[in-house]
Coordinates of all heavy atoms in Angstrom, one line a residue:
C16 N 21.8 75.9 152.8 CA 22.0 74.8 153.6 C 21.9 75.2 155.1 O 21.4 74.4 155.9 CB 23.5 74.1 153.4 SG 23.6 73.4 151.7
D28 N 8.9 89.5 174.8 CA 9.1 90.7 175.6 C 10.6 91.0 175.6 O 11.4 90.2 175.1 CB 8.5 90.5 177.0 CG 9.0 89.2 177.7 OD1 9.7 88.4 177.1 OD2 8.6 89.0 178.8
V32 N 16.2 92.1 169.2 CA 17.4 91.9 168.4 C 17.1 91.0 167.3 O 16.0 90.3 167.4 CB 18.6 91.3 169.3 CG1 19.2 92.3 170.2 CG2 18.0 90.0 170.0
S35 N 20.1 85.1 165.2 CA 21.4 84.8 165.0 C 21.6 84.4 163.6 O 20.7 83.9 162.9 CB 21.8 83.5 165.9 OG 21.7 83.9 167.3
L41 N 26.9 76.1 159.9 CA 27.9 75.3 159.1 C 29.0 74.7 160.0 O 29.7 73.8 159.6 CB 28.7 76.2 158.1 CG 27.8 76.7 157.0 CD1 28.6 77.8 156.2 CD2 27.3 75.6 156.1
Q54 N 39.5 73.0 176.3 CA 40.3 74.2 176.5 C 40.0 74.8 177.9 O 41.0 75.2 178.6 CB 40.1 75.3 175.4 CG 40.6 74.9 174.1 CD 40.4 76.0 173.1 OE1 40.1 77.1 173.3 NE2 40.7 75.6 171.8
A81 N 26.2 82.1 192.9 CA 24.8 82.4 193.3 C 24.1 83.4 192.2 O 23.0 83.2 191.9 CB 24.9 83.2 194.6
W102 N 26.9 73.8 182.5 CA 27.5 75.1 182.9 C 28.5 74.9 184.0 O 28.4 74.0 184.8 CB 26.3 76.0 183.5 CG 25.3 76.3 182.5 CD1 24.2 75.6 182.2 CD2 25.3 77.3 181.6 NE1 23.4 76.3 181.2 CE2 24.1 77.4 180.8 CE3 26.2 78.4 181.3 CZ2 23.8 78.4 179.8 CZ3 25.9 79.4 180.3 CH2 24.7 79.3 179.7
V108 N 42.5 83.4 189.7 CA 43.2 84.4 190.4 C 44.3 85.0 189.4 O 45.3 84.5 189.1 CB 44.0 83.8 191.7 CG1 44.7 84.9 192.4 CG2 43.0 83.0 192.5
K121 N 30.7 77.5 179.6 CA 31.9 77.5 180.4 C 32.3 78.9 180.8 O 33.0 79.6 180.0 CB 33.2 76.8 179.8 CG 32.8 75.3 179.3 CD 32.3 74.5 180.4 CE 32.2 73.0 179.9 NZ 31.4 72.2 180.9
Y125 N 37.9 86.7 186.2 CA 39.3 86.8 186.8 C 39.1 87.7 187.9 O 38.3 88.7 187.9 CB 40.2 87.5 185.7 CG 40.5 86.6 184.5 CD1 39.5 86.0 183.8 CD2 41.8 86.3 184.2 CE1 39.8 85.2 182.7 CE2 42.1 85.5 183.0 CZ 41.1 84.9 182.3 OH 41.4 84.2 181.3
G144 N 25.9 88.4 182.1 CA 24.9 88.3 181.1 C 25.5 88.5 179.7 O 25.1 87.8 178.8
A148 N 25.6 85.8 176.8 CA 24.8 86.1 175.6 C 25.6 85.8 174.4 O 25.2 85.2 173.5 CB 24.5 87.5 175.6
A155 N 30.7 82.8 168.6 CA 32.0 82.1 168.2 C 31.8 81.3 167.1 O 32.6 81.3 166.1 CB 32.6 81.4 169.4
S162 N 34.9 83.0 159.1 CA 36.3 83.0 158.8 C 36.6 81.8 157.9 O 37.5 81.9 156.9 CB 37.1 83.0 160.0 OG 37.1 81.8 160.6
N166 N 38.2 81.8 153.9 CA 39.4 81.1 153.6 C 39.3 80.2 152.4 O 40.3 79.6 152.0 CB 40.0 80.3 154.7 CG 40.5 81.2 155.9 OD1 40.8 82.3 155.6 ND2 40.6 80.7 157.0
S173 N 33.9 72.7 145.1 CA 34.2 71.3 145.4 C 34.3 71.2 147.0 O 33.8 70.3 147.5 CB 35.6 71.0 144.8 OG 36.6 71.8 145.3
N187 N 39.3 72.2 163.8 CA 40.6 71.5 163.9 C 41.8 72.4 163.7 O 42.9 71.9 164.0 CB 40.6 70.4 162.8 CG 39.5 69.2 163.2 OD1 39.2 69.2 164.4 ND2 39.1 68.6 162.3
Q188 N 41.5 73.5 163.0 CA 42.7 74.4 162.8 C 43.3 75.1 164.1 O 43.9 76.1 164.0 CB 42.4 75.4 161.7 CG 42.4 74.8 160.4 CD 41.7 75.7 159.2 OE1 41.3 76.8 159.6 NE2 41.8 75.2 158.0
V193 N 39.5 81.3 174.0 CA 39.6 82.3 175.0 C 40.2 83.5 174.3 O 41.1 83.4 173.5 CB 40.6 81.9 176.1 CG1 40.7 83.0 177.1 CG2 40.0 80.6 176.7
S198 N 32.6 91.0 166.4 CA 32.3 92.2 165.6 C 31.6 93.2 166.6 O 31.0 92.8 167.5 CB 31.4 91.8 164.3 OG 30.1 91.4 164.8
A200 N 28.8 94.5 165.9 CA 27.4 94.1 165.8 C 27.1 93.0 166.9 O 26.2 93.0 167.6 CB 27.0 93.6 164.5
D204 N 24.9 93.1 170.2 CA 23.9 92.1 170.5 C 24.1 91.4 171.9 O 23.1 91.2 172.6 CB 24.1 90.9 169.4 CG 23.0 89.9 169.3 OD1 22.0 90.2 168.8 OD2 23.2 88.8 169.9
A205 N 25.3 91.2 172.3 CA 25.6 90.6 173.6 C 25.3 91.6 174.7 O 24.8 91.2 175.8 CB 27.0 90.1 173.7
A213 N 20.0 89.6 182.6 CA 20.3 90.1 184.0 C 18.9 90.6 184.6 O 18.6 90.4 185.8 CB 21.4 91.1 184.0
R215 N 15.7 89.9 183.7 CA 14.8 88.8 184.1 C 15.2 88.2 185.4 O 14.3 87.7 186.2 CB 14.8 87.7 182.9 CG 14.2 88.2 181.8 CD 14.3 87.0 180.6 NE 14.1 87.6 179.3 CZ 12.9 87.8 178.7 NH1 11.8 87.4 179.3 NH2 12.8 88.4 177.5
P220 N 19.3 96.6 185.3 CA 19.9 96.7 184.1 C 20.6 98.0 184.0 O 21.4 98.2 183.1 CB 18.7 96.5 183.0 CG 17.5 96.8 183.8 CD 17.8 96.4 185.1
T244 N 39.0 93.7 173.8 CA 38.1 93.1 173.0 C 36.6 93.7 173.2 O 35.7 93.3 172.5 CB 37.9 91.5 173.3 OG1 37.8 91.4 174.7 CG2 39.1 90.8 172.8
L265 N 11.1 94.0 182.7 CA 11.4 92.7 183.1 C 12.0 92.7 184.6 O 11.7 91.8 185.4 CB 12.5 92.1 182.2 CG 12.1 92.0 180.7 CD1 13.4 91.5 180.0 CD2 11.0 91.0 180.5

Side-chain angles (χ1 to χ4, degrees):
C16 296
D28 55 357
V32 289
S35 295
L41 295 173
Q54 290 184 7
W102 294 94
V108 182
K121 306 299 186 195
Y125 293 54
S162 71
N166 290 338
S173 59
N187 291 337
Q188 281 165 357
V193 178
S198 69
D204 191 79
R215 285 177 202 273
T244 50
L265 301 175

